[in-house]
Amino acid sequence: MSDTPPLSLYVPEPEFRPGDKPDFSNVPIPQAGAAMMPPVDVDAGEIRDLAYTIIRVMNREGEAVGPWADMLDDDQLKEGLEDMLRVRAFDVRMTMAQRQGKTSFYMQCLGEEAIACAFSKVLKPGDMNFPTYRQQGLLLSTDYPMVDMINQIYSNAADPLMGRQLPIMYSSKEHGFFTISGNLATQFMQGVGWAMASAIKGDTKIATSWIGEGSTAENDFHAGLVFASTYRAPVVLNIVNNQWAISTFQGIARGGAATFASRGLGFGIPSLRVDGNDYLAVYAVAKWAAERARRGLGPTLIEHVTYRIGAHSTSDDPSAYRAKEESTSWPLGDPVERLKEHLIKRGVWSDAQHHQMKEMLEAQVAEAQKQAEKNGTLHDGPHSSAATMFDDVYKEMPLHLRRQRQEAGF
Amino acid sequence: MSDTPPLSLYVPEPEFRPGDKPDFSNVPIPQAGAAMMPPVDVDAGEIRDLAYTIIRVMNREGEAVGPWADMLDDDQLKEGLEDMLRVRAFDVRMTMAQRQGKTSFYMQCLGEEAIACAFSKVLKPGDMNFPTYRQQGLLLSTDYPMVDMINQIYSNAADPLMGRQLPIMYSSKEHGFFTISGNLATQFMQGVGWAMASAIKGDTKIATSWIGEGSTAENDFHAGLVFASTYRAPVVLNIVNNQWAISTFQGIARGGAATFASRGLGFGIPSLRVDGNDYLAVYAVAKWAAERARRGLGPTLIEHVTYRIGAHSTSDDPSAYRAKEESTSWPLGDPVERLKEHLIKRGVWSDAQHHQMKEMLEAQVAEAQKQAEKNGTLHDGPHSSAATMFDDVYKEMPLHLRRQRQEAGF
Amino acid sequence: MSRMTMIQAIRNAMDTAMGRDDNVVVFGEDVGFFGGVFRCTQGLQEKYGRHRCFDTPISETGIVGAAVGMAAYGIRPCVEIQFADYVYPGYDQIVSEAARIRYRSNNDFTVPMVVRMPTGGGIFGGQTHSQSPEAVFAHVSGIKTVIPSNPYDAKGLLLASIEDDDPVMFLEPKRLYNGPFDGHHDRPVTPWSKHELGEVPDDHYTVPLGKAAIRREGADVTVLVYGTMVHVAETAAQETGVDAEIIDLRTLLPLDMEAIEESIKKTGRCVIVHEATRTCGYGAELAAIVAENCFYHLEAPVIRVTGYDLPYPHAHEWYYFPGPKRVGDALKKVMEAA
Amino acid sequence: MSRMTMIQAIRNAMDTAMGRDDNVVVFGEDVGFFGGVFRCTQGLQEKYGRHRCFDTPISETGIVGAAVGMAAYGIRPCVEIQFADYVYPGYDQIVSEAARIRYRSNNDFTVPMVVRMPTGGGIFGGQTHSQSPEAVFAHVSGIKTVIPSNPYDAKGLLLASIEDDDPVMFLEPKRLYNGPFDGHHDRPVTPWSKHELGEVPDDHYTVPLGKAAIRREGADVTVLVYGTMVHVAETAAQETGVDAEIIDLRTLLPLDMEAIEESIKKTGRCVIVHEATRTCGYGAELAAIVAENCFYHLEAPVIRVTGYDLPYPHAHEWYYFPGPKRVGDALKKVMEAA
Ligand SMILES: Cc1ncc(C[n+]2csc(CCOP(=O)(O)OP(=O)(O)O)c2C)c(N)n1
Ligand SMILES: Cc1ncc(C[n+]2csc(CCOP(=O)(O)OP(=O)(O)O)c2C)c(N)n1
Ligand SMILES: [Mg+2]
Ligand SMILES: [Mg+2]
């Protein structure tokens, strides 16, 4: 052991910054259809490769290929397209509404629509999602009333959450959507706890936990993996790797050379990496994982590889920290375009139909917005009565809060 | 997806409980010498197997075999044996001292001596250990005065920590031993931060972090892996898997089917599993990992496989939760006996020498204890003056503490 | 009725709750087969099965986070943190989640969970087995904080906590586990069997959250106190002869403000006692409430007798602990004040 | 001298510290290339290199834990928590580690680190971008807690904090980042350039920790206040005409008890104002200190004007915020009291 030269701190940097011309040709994109589909009761150790590859179904020609293909029929695929377009139309309008001063804040999921929209299709009534703020697709692909989402975003008099929560922090037990937290990652562990409760009770419900790739660095990600693996909780653990965490590229959270999915292997959890912009691939992998959970085989970890095209939130401007053309250079394409092309390839879809559907959905969103505005907007009101802000801190209002409410003049 | 039967909660249980006859013949123990030794700049992905095997050097005949052998000469090996015997003698006496009411608490490391004793030999002055409470070997294999350790254990007038800390929570910057925390796992992350500082400053010092297998479930274990991998911190991350966390067997922390070492792979950290009862193997792997850190190649994760023979602490009685003969049935043997046999096999040691060394060390410890007792014991005193308990909360005592000290009559 | 230690009463409360309601589950580090390092859950796994009482990985984040998820599911977790000193890794799940979920979801989801934790010093546990972190819970809107001082209350309050529909932090003064502690560490230990509050009904009953108990009626000074210090205050009153009214708060949040105000209006003097460090401790809130609401009745400054603002030291434990002498001095001082 | 916003002053303080001392390093979520979501660290990476100012993984445990380890090494980390609401995952490293290491190691290891975090509401941030958690720091022995109310103090206090040899929690009232806020959210925003404390020396200077500043001298009532509320209190005094002595505490721990006691001895009345929730908030400690130490000088009950004990609501932000009207009412009430 000879004397060594001075150490220096290595700090990972993204390849491209504003002004650079992004080139992702060095990012290995496995061929569609190439990944095997193991039986659901497989041992994690036998499918380690699936944590390092990308499971893809649609190839560059828009065909669905390989063992993970052929799970959805034409109608289901059209519904998927409609769901994604609805999310996209909703995001556009709500981003605009924030700019117009109708609310304080909004977060879009542009480019990531396939993930939540496809995933929701494998769930059953009674299952529970523990989402982050970028899974509006879980609600917008079900029959949850869009107008209630806007009421929430506007914190208006009809807001189901009484104006208490930041916009987009929806909650709907009935629709299997756990109340969103502003604190990252906490829901990841809670979903595991919820799933354990289902198993404790001998029920058949399963849970899904969601987390961004940046947030995998948080405590609750680790706790979630530990508890899920120890108790074989009936939960699907989803990492949405959209490459960015506000201004921070995924390399800061990922470190080393491994993938986010591979973190599950150290816990003996079957771990899959999937093309998150491929509706068919997400659906197939979700179905596989949900089946494992339902059959009591335990958790599955899924890394959905995608790209955050939009700003982090309406408070953010990504042009300050990433190259302008990154999103268009991104090698996995646009989930909506890709599904559209697949449907056209199948011979059941056309540009005209697509256009018509888009317009129909834009009208649907506009109409919901109109309805919601009847109940008010954040800055102009009306809101729920201010006295209600003292309610529901506890089931029954304790004396000190009764006194404070009185002090406040209510 | 047909309707599925009710779920149920899986709760792992150890194979043996009090009254059972332990049989570990199903635990796979790889052959000594079988594991390869990669170059230190290897990519983690190329040596995944080393996280699932057990690197062993001494075979059942007491011979040192394979690529990890031949790193230590006779004198070094004898020193290692002496260190381990010293630790063992120390533990016996201090456990007894606690029973005699000379202190409130003690923790032994019976069966795990090889790990800290061998590891300390690859460190240089200036390096820093971030230990748990079971690495007394890190001090007892260096020139740290044993009498100061006992003074600390007795919280007496000569206690370098002024009687403030629980017994065995040593601290010695000079001897590269970070102040032990009662809160599990926190030091694991701190060691990474310390190592980052060394890299930031362009120094050549490295850090080691230590954690028990049970404590790998804690937040700081995860944070440590994340930060170490992202910044390629010059740190060696040690997991001491002694099979038990108080009454809880390792399966509760491990879950699934993987190993603790394999948790590093998800971060691209080279991860090795080593026979923690094999002084030669621990030394070799520690040397390899330290070399990586010194050369700026980043962190290494090491799982030391061993067995906690004694009670968790003097407050614990393992007969309530584990089979009596587990420790003697444990397939990796006793680290002291194994090194002794190897030395005999080398032809440089004998039972008589061994016996003599043991007696010498017992006398050494007894003498240190006698010296320490001159400075007092916990219950009989003397202690440092009670007024000193107000010191060092801050560098300078703020007004409110000055007032409180006065209130206390000092 | 049985004679019970506080450990037995706590165990009995969980047993009672688990027997009455399948939804009650118990978990934490070492609580399963072994029954907990203080043996509070002993026998529960054997009786109710591994899926209702089990060991967890050493992750307070995970323990509390799992409990939150389970409670949202609709079951009632009663979890153990091995020492209150180790609750901090779970603090985010308590503050940001358990405490907020009812409010932020407008009752869509609720968190009926209990987090039990041994608290307080006096066992030579050093700085990480002696802490009293009640103030960092009491400051958090949306959770309740309970600290019993005897076996009878421990059972009744724990049952009330488990049945409560909001999250409850349940702090168990470990120095009281095996007997009431008068604060004289050098005297023989008295067992609960010699104390009237060691008599505990075998059946189900509750002690309501938010109701204080007057442990000693008195005319001269009101002592606001909870947990271990209730007994120390009793000793101090006895030893000084000061006619103190000793109020055992039992629940810190919700607080029985009416009982406090009523007593102070009677006595005109107030001493506040806790083992936790002083600055921003729960005693500060009590002093503030008294100063705000009873000002015109006060005849002397409020005095706080507390742990000093430093880590709980090992060797000097009994200099640190606010024993009967310190409490007694405060009683005398508050009586001397004009 | 330059005109600076509070953001610029904070950035300038770090720049000054990094320029003078190679040992000062800055890191946190998004603080590197981007310069932080509030831009407090903008330009520092470019100027001092990636090894002295860098992005971290999203782990407050890791950020604080790394800082503790680095500080133990001997360098001086000044880290950012993106919002004070997100500090809880790092709370264990703060309470159990940073705060205790000097004491438990008898000065063998020390933790000279600063944890900066934007705090407080008034920006429609909802319950997780508006919190004021100062009390859960002030309760912890071994750390200091600082909250500036203007650019001049922000720079001087931050430099003093970075140079301090103990861990400092540095809370930055985000509503003050771009201008003093009088509490009238419906009026135009005033910039710091119009405020005398927006004038900041370009060179190194410190504002000592533990010294309060009298923002307004007055004879009738002492207002104890810090951060955003300093300006609200000034507005309230002006609007009510009450001759209030407004004391900007600046450091909550160590606290300038002498300044407080002196003022109250003069005025005989006290109003305490903070944005944090009331129960066990820092105002409780202030009220307790006043009740204990100034009892004989008090002519009226102490009044606390605070955030209500509930999560910071989104739509009803301005009903929740303790604005000039509420503070003014308290001033009037305390003056009316006999
Ligand atoms: C505990 C906590 N720390 C920090 C933040 C601030 N924050 C909000 S979103 C975000 C980035 C999250 O990135 P990622 O997990 O990748 O999710 P994405 O936004 O890309 O969907 C950060 C740091 C927070 N909300 N909670
Ligand atoms: C944060 C925290 N939680 C719980 C404990 C209580 N505790 C002390 S040691 C221990 C078991 C640790 O087991 P392991 O990590 O395997 O180390 P070992 O004792 O086997 O060396 C526990 C649960 C603690 N000290 N700190
Ligand atoms: Mg992301
Ligand atoms: Mg262990």
Side-chain angles (χ1 to χ4, degrees), chain A residues 213-214 242 244-245:
Chain A
E213 92 294 339
N242 65 3
W244 289 92

Side-chain angles (χ1 to χ4, degrees), chain A residues 112 133-134 212-215 240-246 248 308:
Chain A
E112 308 174 29
Y133 43 72
R134 242 184 267 287
E213 92 294 339
S215 305
V240 179
N241 178 1
N242 65 3
Q243 313 301 320
W244 289 92
I246 309 185
T248 305
R308 190 197 84 206

Side-chain angles (χ1 to χ4, degrees), chain B residues 43-363:
Chain B
D43 183 82
E46 284 169 40
I47 54 164
R48 284 190 203 138
D49 285 352
L50 291 181
Y52 293 95
T53 183
I54 302 180
I55 298 171
R56 307 178 67 238
V57 169
M58 288 187 285
N59 66 16
R60 300 202 186 274
E61 284 70 49
E63 295 153 346
V65 292
W68 296 90
D70 301 324
M71 298 200 185
L72 293 160
D73 64 27
D74 293 345
D75 285 346
Q76 289 172 310
L77 289 169
K78 282 186 212 164
E79 190 180 310
L81 188 65
E82 182 175 337
D83 291 339
M84 291 197 285
L85 282 170
R86 187 180 306 110
V87 170
R88 201 162 274 195
F90 189 82
D91 277 354
V92 167
R93 266 215 172 248
M94 290 300 105
T95 303
M96 182 71 73
Q98 190 275 341
R99 275 200 213 112
Q100 294 164 338
K102 292 175 182 170
T103 187
S104 58
F105 183 76
Y106 188 71
M107 293 182 103
Q108 54 175 322
C109 67
L110 186 63
E112 308 175 30
E113 295 90 347
I115 301 165
C117 288
F119 204 105
S120 84
K121 301 298 173 189
V122 309
L123 297 176
K124 296 187 181 179
D127 293 343
M128 186 64 66
N129 290 293
F130 287 77
T132 82
Y133 43 72
R134 242 184 267 286
Q135 276 80 56
Q136 49 264 62
L138 291 174
L139 286 174
L140 286 166
S141 62
T142 64
D143 56 354
Y144 187 77
M146 199 188 284
V147 61
D148 278 346
M149 295 174 73
I150 307 178
N151 288 332
Q152 198 284 324
I153 291 166
Y154 287 175
S155 279
N156 65 21
D159 173 4
L161 307 184
M162 311 292 279
R164 290 182 190 145
Q165 266 280 44
L166 204 64
I168 69 115
M169 303 273 173
Y170 319 109
S171 175
S172 175
K173 193 172 192 168
E174 197 190 329
H175 288 77
F177 195 93
F178 189 71
T179 159
I180 297 179
S181 178
N183 294 60
L184 294 171
T186 49
Q187 73 287 343
F188 198 79
M189 178 62 228
Q190 290 161 358
V192 175
W194 195 97
M196 288 171 67
S198 177
I200 288 170
K201 295 303 292 175
D203 290 341
T204 58
K205 303 171 198 166
I206 67 169
T208 72
S209 284
W210 296 84
I211 200 166
E213 93 293 340
S215 306
T216 60
E218 285 284 10
N219 304 335
D220 290 282
F221 175 70
H222 180 63
L225 293 184
V226 173
F227 277 65
S229 80
T230 294
Y231 304 108
R232 300 189 187 161
V235 62
V236 183
L237 303 166
N238 293 284
I239 303 169
V240 179
N241 178 1
N242 64 5
Q243 312 301 320
W244 289 92
I246 309 186
S247 78
T248 305
F249 89 120
Q250 50 82 27
I252 291 285
R254 190 172 50 81
T259 63
F260 291 101
S262 68
R263 296 205 173 156
L265 298 176
F267 299 82
I269 299 177
S271 302
L272 315 177
R273 204 152 173 262
V274 63
D275 179 347
N277 290 5
D278 179 337
Y279 187 93
L280 284 78
V282 172
Y283 177 84
V285 164
K287 192 175 161 192
W288 189 87
E291 182 72 12
R292 278 179 47 76
R294 285 190 212 289
R295 287 220 210 145
L297 296 166
T300 308
L301 181 67
I302 304 175
E303 176 185 347
H304 302 268
V305 183
T306 183
Y307 187 89
R308 190 197 86 205
I309 296 177
H312 171 72
S313 73
T314 48
S315 315
D316 177 50
D317 173 12
S319 72
Y321 53 78
R322 67 182 187 187
K324 208 171 158 210
E325 291 143 10
E326 253 198 44
S327 66
T328 44
S329 320
W330 179 246
L332 293 178
D334 177 307
V336 170
E337 288 306 311
R338 284 174 67 193
L339 183 54
K340 173 187 163 198
E341 260 145 54
H342 175 60
L343 278 164
I344 290 173
K345 196 85 181 186
R346 282 172 91 103
V348 298
W349 201 241
S350 68
D351 274 325
Q353 278 170 299
H354 194 78
H355 186 73
Q356 198 187 342
M357 184 184 268
K358 243 183 99 187
E359 290 205 321
M360 182 271 284
L361 290 164
E362 278 159 10

Side-chain angles (χ1 to χ4, degrees), chain C residues 67-87:
Chain C
V68 170
M70 289 182 192
Y73 187 92
I75 72 176
R76 293 185 176 270
C78 175
V79 305
E80 177 175 306
I81 299 292
Q82 203 160 80
F83 285 85
D85 317 59
Y86 303 141
V87 73

